[in-house]
Amino acid sequence: MTDQLKNHILKFVTPPDNELQSFLNLMELEDIKNRDYLLKEGHYCKYQYFILKGCFRSFFIDRKGVEKVVNFGIEDWWLTNFDSFINQTISELNIQAAEDSKVLKISKSNLDHILRDSLELNRYFRIILEKVRIADQRRIQFMYNLSGEELYTVFNEHNPDFVQRVPQYMLASYLGFTPEFLSKIRRKKKQ
Amino acid sequence: MTDQLKNHILKFVTPPDNELQSFLNLMELEDIKNRDYLLKEGHYCKYQYFILKGCFRSFFIDRKGVEKVVNFGIEDWWLTNFDSFINQTISELNIQAAEDSKVLKISKSNLDHILRDSLELNRYFRIILEKVRIADQRRIQFMYNLSGEELYTVFNEHNPDFVQRVPQYMLASYLGFTPEFLSKIRRKKKQ
């Protein structure tokens, strides 16, 4: 099951075999049923997760009691609540499976341990974080600049398979509008 | 001039002296006058910048012709447009000084060179990026969850000195509302 992660790492860096194997040995496999949680608000986020199969969303409940989706994750993505994971603070976010899923997880102490000595794995996580930063920056720019319909069009262009997989109400929440508005846009696109 | 960066690095990691010195030797000093640009949209972002003194904002012009501030940077922050710097794409963002400022900059080829072999500097940039990720996530959550007035209160709590330094219209743009609305909130707070 760790071959998928191994291949992902080797796309970006080339750690010595023993280093890579030590890292993979620290990963624990977990099966998650659709709608089960990796993390619930009010708890500490103890792991970083690498998604082998399935789909997750992270969300919080706003003060009006409405779910707000802030992130999605699918195969070959890393997922965590960094604020809670790094700073050991209580999580305001939930991470929930949107399909039956499978993840590899690593605890903070094990990750810290491996990152103390591995040049290539530090490089790997740095490169991943640069990509995340780029995505976050684009997202913030889009939130400032695009109408709901344009937001959907751009998101669709960048993630066509993904849009088909995720329930409509989750996608609507992520893009910041109502499911009804999303249905309207989708109907318009099909015409 | 590189002592300030050296001290910042040593807060997080402990590279061997020769590694640290090689890195610092690659940094170039640049003085920037208030309102001058480190990066203009339509150009490639060739550097990562470490701010020694002063204040910068990155912004884009939205389709209505309005400036939208997406980031600020002050002393001891790293600043770049990652999308353009990493992917060598044309920048949609501008980075402009908001005060007379001083930066150290490093080119992509020099940074790639040093990060090929240095465990501790990879650790350093990974740790910085984790902090950036946490800030971006909080920002996205705030944008979804807070009213203009609350946004200002939270931002003020987290960055009291900063709020005094930055021109009001820039701060308003960053927080997503008009300068008039910001003046109104400030007046209310003083009562």
Side-chain angles (χ1 to χ4, degrees):
Chain A
M1 296 303 300
T2 57
D3 272 4
Q4 188 178 332
L5 174 54
K6 185 176 166 178
N7 292 336
H8 191 256
I9 293 169
L10 293 174
K11 264 193 216 169
F12 300 100
V13 296
T14 47
D17 282 349
N18 61 335
E19 234 171 72
L20 182 54
Q21 204 47 57
S22 302
F23 178 61
L24 296 175
N25 288 345
L26 293 172
M27 304 298 302
E28 303 166 58
L29 183 65
E30 193 173 334
D31 282 298
I32 310 280
K33 291 260 167 256
N34 186 14
R35 303 197 166 273
D36 275 0
Y37 286 80
L38 287 181
L39 173 66
K40 275 200 162 179
E41 60 175 302
H43 291 79
Y44 294 92
C45 181
K46 294 182 184 161
Y47 298 97
Q48 275 203 50
Y49 300 93
F50 180 79
I51 306 170
L52 295 171
K53 185 177 101 58
C55 177
F56 292 87
R57 64 182 176 128
S58 58
F59 67 95
F60 67 98
I61 309 290
D62 77 4
R63 56 213 173 131
K64 289 178 193 148
V66 178
E67 283 185 15
K68 297 282 184 183
V69 177
V70 290
N71 276 304
F72 283 110
I74 53 170
E75 287 82 10
D76 284 356
W77 292 18
W78 283 92
L79 200 63
T80 192
N81 175 354
F82 262 115
D83 200 354
S84 179
F85 183 74
I86 305 272
N87 299 327
Q88 307 274 294
T89 56
I90 286 174
S91 180
E92 292 174 7
L93 291 178
N94 304 278
I95 304 180
Q96 187 187 30
E99 300 174 357
D100 288 346
S101 303
K102 219 180 260 295
V103 296
L104 291 171
K105 66 181 182 181
I106 186 165
S107 70
K108 184 156 192 319
S109 59
N110 281 337
L111 187 61
D112 285 347
H113 172 75
I114 205 88
L115 289 176
R116 209 169 300 142
D117 301 312
S118 167
L119 165 64
E120 290 295 298
L121 290 171
N122 272 287
R123 273 169 60 87
Y124 171 67
F125 282 104
R126 176 181 60 77
I127 292 167
I128 297 294
L129 280 163
E130 286 171 354
K131 291 183 180 296
V132 168
R133 168 64 168 162
I134 292 170
D136 281 344
Q137 278 286 286
R138 283 190 191 146
R139 172 113 182 261
I140 289 169
Q141 251 176 277
F142 289 153
M143 284 171 83
Y144 269 132
N145 204 26
L146 300 182
S147 70
E149 188 160 347
E150 288 167 326
L151 215 52
Y152 177 73
T153 305
V154 168
F155 190 79
N156 212 348
E157 274 167 17
H158 285 83
N159 317 276
D161 301 334
F162 191 57
V163 171
Q164 298 308 317
R165 255 171 92 170
V166 175
Q168 190 142 329
Y169 78 95
M170 287 186 198
L171 189 59
S173 170
Y174 179 76
L175 297 172
F177 39 81
T178 61
E180 293 71 29
F181 185 65
L182 186 57
S183 302
K184 204 173 121 192
I185 296 173
R186 279 185 161 172
R187 274 199 308 276
K188 217 165 121 186
K189 298 246 168 233
K190 281 183 190 150
Q191 281 165 10
Chain B
M1 299 304 300
T2 55
D3 272 3
Q4 187 176 333
L5 174 55
K6 186 176 165 179
N7 292 337
H8 191 256
I9 293 170
L10 293 175
K11 264 193 217 168
F12 299 102
V13 296
T14 48
D17 282 350
N18 62 336
E19 233 172 73
L20 181 53
Q21 204 46 59
S22 303
F23 178 61
L24 296 175
N25 289 343
L26 292 172
M27 303 299 301
E28 303 166 58
L29 183 66
E30 194 173 334
D31 280 299
I32 311 281
K33 291 258 168 258
N34 187 13
R35 301 199 166 272
D36 276 0
Y37 287 80
L38 287 181
L39 173 65
K40 274 199 162 178
E41 62 174 301
H43 291 79
Y44 294 92
C45 182
K46 293 181 185 163
Y47 298 97
Q48 275 203 50
Y49 300 93
F50 179 80
I51 307 170
L52 293 172
K53 186 177 102 54
C55 177
F56 293 87
R57 63 182 177 130
S58 58
F59 67 95
F60 68 97
I61 310 288
D62 78 4
R63 57 213 173 132
K64 289 178 193 149
V66 178
E67 284 185 15
K68 297 282 183 182
V69 177
V70 291
N71 276 305
F72 284 110
I74 53 169
E75 287 82 9
D76 286 355
W77 292 17
W78 283 92
L79 201 63
T80 191
N81 175 353
F82 262 114
D83 200 355
S84 179
F85 183 76
I86 304 272
N87 299 327
Q88 308 273 294
T89 56
I90 286 174
S91 179
E92 293 173 7
L93 290 179
N94 304 277
I95 303 180
Q96 189 187 27
E99 301 173 358
D100 288 348
S101 303
K102 217 179 261 295
V103 298
L104 291 170
K105 65 180 184 182
I106 186 164
S107 70
K108 185 157 192 318
S109 59
N110 280 337
L111 187 61
D112 285 348
H113 172 74
I114 205 89
L115 290 176
R116 209 168 301 140
D117 299 312
S118 167
L119 164 63
E120 291 294 299
L121 289 171
N122 272 288
R123 273 168 60 88
Y124 171 67
F125 282 105
R126 175 181 60 76
I127 291 167
I128 297 292
L129 281 163
E130 286 172 353
K131 290 181 182 298
V132 168
R133 167 63 167 163
I134 291 170
D136 282 344
Q137 277 285 287
R138 282 191 192 145
R139 173 114 183 261
I140 290 170
Q141 251 176 278
F142 289 154
M143 285 172 82
Y144 269 132
N145 203 26
L146 300 183
S147 71
E149 189 162 346
E150 288 167 325
L151 216 51
Y152 177 73
T153 305
V154 167
F155 190 78
N156 212 346
E157 276 168 16
H158 284 84
N159 318 276
D161 302 334
F162 191 58
V163 170
Q164 299 307 317
R165 255 171 93 171
V166 175
Q168 190 143 330
Y169 78 94
M170 287 184 197
L171 189 60
S173 170
Y174 179 76
L175 297 173
F177 41 80
T178 62
E180 293 71 29
F181 185 65
L182 185 57
S183 303
K184 204 172 119 195
I185 294 173
R186 279 185 161 172
R187 275 199 306 277
K188 217 165 117 187
K189 299 244 169 236
K190 279 181 192 152
Q191 284 166 3

